[in-house]
Amino acid sequence: MNTLSHIFHLGWLVKILWYPMWISAYIVKVFSEMYIIVISLFSISRYFVYYSLAKPSVELTQNCVKAGIRVISGLMIFKDLVLFNWLIVVLEIKEYKEMERILGYYYGIHLTYQLLLFLAAFLQIPILCSTSKAEIEPSRPEKLIYFQTVLIAFSKLILIPTLLFLLYKGINHSVLSAIFVSVDLLLVPIAVQISEICNRPTAVRSAELQMGPV
């Protein structure tokens, strides 16, 4: 009986899954940060291409996307390594006041690419409201990226007043800051899935039109 109770006790399972769980969470975190920066940069570049006099033929190629993913992912991992090593040094020398500075740098970096996201989404507004037809029709991957940029930014803009209201009600600002940072872990995958669902019928219809009547 003691053996059976030990088997069904979940403490050992928690210990086994503890490190893989945090590693998986970190991978999702890096992916979310990288993805927001990449789609923001591509969306901003679209604005300048759209209003360019030369109208260069640019397309979101697979090599371009892979290069952006590699560079931004490397920068995100390097940033985390620097802050993590700094945290270890602070804990070793027991200068706990420095932890607030580390958090300040982390939140500052996070806020920087959130502002980049808002800028990218804001630049899409005149393009979406423009009545003139673009000379270069964006490809489906490009449309997905522009849609995701606006959707994620709009969702974050809705979240900000909610967090401010909770702050006014007395919720700890550290908790709200953690929510604002970690919400990307759920928001980015959801936005990707929504954009795929919303753009899939258009892709199917265009394929049927290209095939023509049988």
Side-chain angles (χ1 to χ4, degrees), residues 3-20:
T3 304
L4 290 176
S5 62
H6 179 71
I7 292 176
F8 287 102
H9 184 63
L10 297 180
W12 62 274
L13 183 61
V14 173
K15 292 180 180 179
I16 293 176
L17 297 179
W18 181 256
Y19 291 106

Side-chain angles (χ1 to χ4, degrees), residues 38 41-42 45 58-72 142 145:
V38 169
L41 292 177
F42 280 125
S45 66
V58 294
E59 185 179 356
L60 192 59
T61 62
Q62 189 174 8
N63 292 332
C64 185
V65 174
K66 288 182 178 180
I69 290 175
R70 286 194 297 266
V71 172
I72 302 301
E142 290 175 324
I145 284 182

Side-chain angles (χ1 to χ4, degrees), residues 2 35 57 62 65 76 113 128 148 154 182 192:
N2 292 333
Y35 197 79
S57 178
Q62 189 174 8
V65 174
M76 293 297 101
Y113 63 77
L128 296 175
Q148 292 165 10
F154 182 73
S182 59
V192 171

Side-chain angles (χ1 to χ4, degrees), residues 75-184:
L75 291 176
M76 293 297 101
I77 295 175
F78 177 76
K79 177 259 299 182
D80 291 336
L81 286 176
V82 170
L83 294 178
F84 183 71
N85 289 329
W86 188 5
L87 178 62
I88 292 177
V89 173
V90 167
L91 294 177
E92 286 292 332
I93 63 178
K94 298 181 180 180
E95 291 288 341
Y96 300 113
K97 292 182 179 180
E98 290 292 321
M99 295 180 63
E100 296 182 0
R101 181 179 296 182
I102 296 175
L103 287 176
Y105 277 110
Y106 182 82
Y107 289 141
I109 295 172
H110 183 82
L111 181 61
T112 299
Y113 63 77
Q114 294 298 318
L115 294 176
L116 182 68
L117 172 68
F118 294 144
L119 174 63
F122 177 77
L123 292 178
Q124 302 307 305
I125 295 177
I127 299 177
L128 296 175
C129 297
S130 177
T131 57
S132 60
K133 188 176 181 180
E135 295 183 9
I136 303 174
E137 186 68 21
S139 61
R140 182 174 180 270
E142 290 175 324
K143 291 180 179 179
L144 288 176
I145 284 182
Y146 307 146
F147 181 83
Q148 292 165 10
T149 302
V150 176
L151 179 60
I152 295 175
F154 182 73
S155 302
K156 297 298 284 284
L157 287 176
I158 295 177
L159 178 64
I160 290 176
T162 304
L163 295 179
L164 291 177
F165 176 77
L166 294 176
L167 181 63
Y168 175 76
K169 288 296 183 179
I171 304 298
N172 189 286
H173 67 89
S174 299
V175 175
L176 299 179
S177 299
I179 293 175
F180 184 77
V181 171
S182 59
V183 73
D184 291 336

